[in-house]
Amino acid sequence: MILSIKRMLLFFVIISSSLVFCQENKGSLGHDESGFSAFDSKEKTFQFVSENYLTSKKEIPFENLIQSGGLNIKQIGDYNNLNLNLKGAIIKVDIVQNGDNNQLELDKEVNSIKQKVVQDGQNNSIKDLSMYANNNVNMELIQQGSNQNIQNYGTNSISENMKVIQSGNGAAVIIINNK
């Protein structure tokens, strides 16, 4: 009995030691130090991914981003937050959050929604509320910079084709649409 326990213990020691020696230490994201990696550094990997997979919003028109309707969300960065409640017969919404700590709240109940929201920077906030309106929404809200705030309450015929562009840092806009 003791001999079989010793054999099992020896067996487990041999198995576990071979597993330990089989693993090779690589840098983060799979870059090894031997030079056999496809990319020499994390920076080259990021550059490759950026050039081949991430497209600039200036290259693709808004009409081409929304293919068949629905909701298209692209978030690049950390701690971005979305709170959406959309109701309409037609919903075509494109959202791009590029940066960190961006907040977006869309709460709409209208006939149709065609909207583009871009937050390009840090700590930007958008609150867009249109409740129980018998209108069509076709708007763009664009923030390019940091620490910006847009608040839009309501919708009417004047705001139906509204476009708000904020650039720079620390700007705030409050829009109230009453009938």
Side-chain angles (χ1 to χ4, degrees), residues 5 12 31 47 51 55 108 113 130 136 138 140 170 177:
I5 293 175
F12 287 117
H31 303 289
Q47 181 181 2
E51 289 174 356
T55 59
K108 295 182 175 280
I113 304 166
S130 300
N136 299 318
N138 181 11
E140 294 183 35
N177 299 301

Side-chain angles (χ1 to χ4, degrees), residues 78-142:
D78 296 322
Y79 308 111
N80 291 319
N81 187 18
L82 293 174
N83 183 6
L84 305 174
N85 182 18
L86 305 172
K87 293 181 183 178
I90 300 171
I91 297 176
K92 297 179 180 182
V93 177
D94 183 45
I95 298 168
V96 176
Q97 289 181 316
N98 184 18
D100 300 328
N101 299 310
N102 291 313
Q103 307 290 320
L104 174 62
E105 181 179 352
L106 291 180
D107 195 353
K108 295 182 175 280
E109 191 166 329
V110 294
N111 289 341
S112 68
I113 304 166
K114 182 178 176 186
Q115 187 163 356
K116 174 183 177 183
V117 177
V118 175
Q119 292 178 309
D120 190 12
Q122 317 297 322
N123 303 311
N124 293 317
S125 175
I126 294 177
K127 182 182 281 190
D128 186 8
L129 308 173
S130 300
M131 299 301 294
Y132 311 111
N134 193 19
N135 291 331
N136 299 318
V137 173
N138 181 11
M139 72 171 38
E140 294 183 35
L141 302 174
I142 300 172

Side-chain angles (χ1 to χ4, degrees), residues 13-167:
V13 168
I14 291 171
I15 294 293
S16 64
S17 66
S18 66
L19 291 175
V20 171
F21 291 115
C22 291
Q23 295 180 0
E24 183 177 320
N25 187 14
K26 292 186 177 185
S28 65
L29 295 176
H31 303 289
D32 63 23
E33 304 302 323
S34 65
F36 293 109
S37 176
F39 304 106
D40 296 334
S41 67
K42 293 179 209 174
E43 290 79 20
K44 286 186 180 178
T45 302
F46 179 73
Q47 181 181 2
F48 175 80
V49 170
S50 296
E51 289 174 356
N52 291 300
Y53 297 110
L54 303 177
T55 59
S56 170
K57 56 191 163 295
K58 295 177 183 173
E59 295 174 12
I60 301 174
F62 176 55
E63 298 297 325
N64 295 341
L65 283 173
I66 298 176
Q67 297 168 357
S68 63
L71 185 62
N72 181 21
I73 299 172
K74 188 183 292 187
Q75 291 181 307
I76 304 166
D78 296 322
Y79 308 111
N80 291 319
N81 187 18
L82 293 174
N83 183 6
L84 305 174
N85 182 18
L86 305 172
K87 293 181 183 178
I90 300 171
I91 297 176
K92 297 179 180 182
V93 177
D94 183 45
I95 298 168
V96 176
Q97 289 181 316
N98 184 18
D100 300 328
N101 299 310
N102 291 313
Q103 307 290 320
L104 174 62
E105 181 179 352
L106 291 180
D107 195 353
K108 295 182 175 280
E109 191 166 329
V110 294
N111 289 341
S112 68
I113 304 166
K114 182 178 176 186
Q115 187 163 356
K116 174 183 177 183
V117 177
V118 175
Q119 292 178 309
D120 190 12
Q122 317 297 322
N123 303 311
N124 293 317
S125 175
I126 294 177
K127 182 182 281 190
D128 186 8
L129 308 173
S130 300
M131 299 301 294
Y132 311 111
N134 193 19
N135 291 331
N136 299 318
V137 173
N138 181 11
M139 72 171 38
E140 294 183 35
L141 302 174
I142 300 172
Q143 294 176 318
Q144 297 171 321
S146 297
N147 302 310
Q148 297 175 344
N149 185 10
I150 296 175
Q151 295 181 32
N152 180 39
Y153 301 101
T155 185
N156 56 28
S157 61
I158 297 171
S159 67
E160 184 176 333
N161 294 308
M162 183 170 58
K163 184 174 187 178
V164 177
I165 300 174
Q166 284 183 316
S167 60

